[in-house]
Amino acid sequence: MGTRRDFIKNSALGGTLLGSTLSLSTSSARPQAQRVNKNAAANKPVVIATWKNERAVAAAWNVLSKGGSALDAVETGVKVPEGDPHDTSVGYGGRPDRDGMVTLDSCIMDHDSNCGAVAFLQHIKHPVSVARKVMTDTPHVMMVGDGALKFALDQGFKKEDLLTEESRAHWLKWLETAEYKPVINIENHDTIGMLTLDSSGKLSGACTTSGMAYKMNGRVGDSPIIGAGLFVDGDIGAATATGMGEAVIKVAGSHLVVELMRQGLDPNEACQAAVERVIAKEPKYKEIQVGFIALNIHGEYGGYCIQPGFNYALYENNGPGLIDAGHALK
Ligand code: ASP
C-alpha cells in the first residue's frame, strides 16, 4: 500500500467517484442531482444492519413481513442488542467510559425527515425508544445527559444499572494500564446501525451504541448525530455508520452517502466513495475502522469499510443473509 494519494488514484472507483463527489462542493451550476426513480420495481420489504446482528434483523423482519412500518421495525430491531447484556458495545452490558459509567448514544429517523436523538444518556436500557419519544413528543431533535434522563423518566422509562459484572470486571482490568486504544472490529458486533424499507416503500433508520470503550467521560460519537451516524431521505435512500465516530463526523458520513446516491451512485459505490473521503481526511486511517451501509428506495443495499472484517446482516424476501463489505485496505 502506498500513500493515501496512491490509494485513491489506484482504487477501482476512485477516479470517477472522486470526480462526482468533488462536484458537490465545486460546481456553481445547479446540481445535476439524479433522483432515484420511485416508480421502478422495488425489492421490499428489506432490512440491513451493521455487523453480525442477525437476531436484530430477524426481529425487524418479523414486523416488516406482517406489513408493519419501517419505523416500528427499526426500533424493534435495534432493541435486541440494546437489551442483550452479552453485546458489549450497545445498551445494557455496553463497555463503560474510563470513569466506569455506561453512557449511551442513539438516534432514529423516518422517511419524512422526522428525527430524534439522545446522547450521553445513562441508566436507560433502550435509548432508541427515548430518541423516538424525543422525535414524537417534543419540539426538539436531540436531548443529552441529565436532561435526556429526566425526560425519559417523565415518559415512564425505568432507571436501571447498565454496568454488568462482566463489563465492570473488564473495566477494572483496563484501569491497570488505562491505555485508550480503539479496537478495530470489536468482537464483530459493534454499534448497531439499521435501515429498513417497508412494503409501502417507506424508509427508516436507527443507530445506537455505548460508544467507544473507555472514552473520556462526556464524549459523544457519531452515532446519535443525524447526518453523521445516520441519515434518511425518503426520496433517495438511507445510510448508517460504524467505527471511529470522530472520523465519521468529520465528513458528515451518512449524509454524504445519501447525497452520493442522489447523484446516481448505487449503495455500494456511495459507501465506497464516502470511505474514500474519510481516508482522504484522516491521516491515521490505517489505525481505525469506519464502515458504512446504505439502502436505497428500490431496496438495493451495499456496504464498504476501511479494514477487512466488517460485515452486515440482511433480511429480505429471499431470506436472511450476512454480507462481507468491500474494504479499502487489502
Ligand atoms: N461509532 C461509534 C462511536 O464512535 C462506535 C463504533 O461504531 O464502534 O461511538
Side-chain angles (χ1 to χ4, degrees):
M1 181 60 54
T3 61
R4 273 193 297 152
R5 197 173 292 279
D6 288 338
F7 162 74
I8 290 163
K9 206 171 64 200
N10 295 332
S11 69
L13 288 161
T16 47
L17 294 187
L18 281 180
S20 64
T21 52
L22 216 55
S23 68
L24 277 177
S25 54
T26 56
S27 170
S28 56
R30 282 172 70 82
Q32 300 295 303
Q34 184 184 327
R35 292 168 77 85
V36 174
N37 175 4
K38 285 181 95 173
N39 297 322
N43 168 34
K44 60 188 182 188
V46 54
V47 48
I48 58 172
T50 54
W51 305 103
K52 213 172 169 301
N53 275 301
E54 289 154 309
R55 287 196 311 121
V57 294
W61 179 257
N62 193 34
V63 175
L64 293 170
S65 60
K66 293 182 181 137
S69 74
L71 192 63
D72 286 342
V74 86
E75 180 185 2
T76 302
V78 303
K79 281 174 78 172
V80 172
E82 276 188 349
D84 180 354
H86 304 298
D87 191 314
T88 58
S89 51
V90 180
Y92 179 47
R95 294 277 185 250
D97 64 19
R98 60 186 54 184
D99 296 337
M101 296 174 187
V102 180
T103 72
L104 305 178
D105 298 339
S106 184
C107 69
I108 191 163
M109 188 166 192
D110 76 8
H111 63 283
D112 276 333
S113 305
N114 298 307
C115 47
V118 289
F120 194 54
L121 174 64
Q122 295 182 64
H123 305 303
I124 303 291
K125 195 183 265 177
H126 292 298
V128 71
S129 299
V130 185
R132 186 167 176 179
K133 284 280 181 200
V134 172
M135 174 173 105
T136 54
D137 290 31
T138 79
H140 306 306
V141 164
M142 189 167 203
M143 297 183 75
V144 307
D146 288 347
L149 176 60
K150 181 172 181 311
F151 170 72
L153 298 176
D154 288 349
Q155 292 285 328
F157 288 85
K158 202 168 99 201
K159 188 168 182 178
E160 294 177 71
D161 182 4
L162 303 181
L163 187 65
T164 57
E165 267 317 306
E166 193 267 332
S167 251
R168 189 180 145 75
H170 203 274
W171 167 60
L172 291 174
K173 181 105 192 94
W174 176 82
L175 280 177
E176 289 169 14
T177 56
E179 187 195 2
Y180 180 66
K181 197 163 183 291
V183 182
I184 292 166
N185 300 335
I186 177 168
E187 294 164 17
N188 210 19
H189 55 81
D190 221 287
T191 296
I192 181 164
M194 178 179 282
L195 308 172
T196 48
L197 177 68
D198 66 25
S199 38
S200 70
K202 290 185 174 133
L203 283 163
S204 286
C207 188
T208 186
T209 189
S210 50
M212 306 297 292
Y214 315 126
K215 61 195 175 185
M216 290 174 71
N217 182 249
R219 180 266 189 188
V220 171
D222 61 315
S223 304
I225 298 179
I226 299 296
L230 175 73
F231 196 68
V232 178
D233 183 321
D235 292 327
I236 304 295
T240 188
T242 184
M244 177 65 83
E246 284 74 4
V248 175
I249 293 171
K250 283 180 190 171
V251 301
S254 294
H255 182 260
L256 175 59
V257 173
V258 172
E259 289 308 302
L260 289 163
M261 291 195 286
R262 191 192 306 279
Q263 289 192 336
L265 274 58
D266 72 28
N268 270 316
E269 292 169 339
C271 291
Q272 178 168 351
V275 165
E276 287 170 356
R277 184 77 66 86
V278 170
I279 287 172
K281 300 288 181 190
E282 179 56 64
K284 294 192 172 163
Y285 72 94
K286 286 187 183 169
E287 294 165 29
I288 62 166
Q289 177 65 299
V290 166
F292 294 105
I293 60 170
L295 174 65
N296 69 18
I297 60 159
H298 297 317
E300 296 166 333
Y301 45 80
Y304 202 79
C305 57
I306 299 178
Q307 316 270 350
F310 170 55
N311 47 22
Y312 57 100
L314 153 79
Y315 217 119
E316 58 185 345
N317 286 314
N318 288 337
L322 185 67
I323 300 177
D324 287 329
H327 41 89
L329 295 181
K330 300 303 170 200

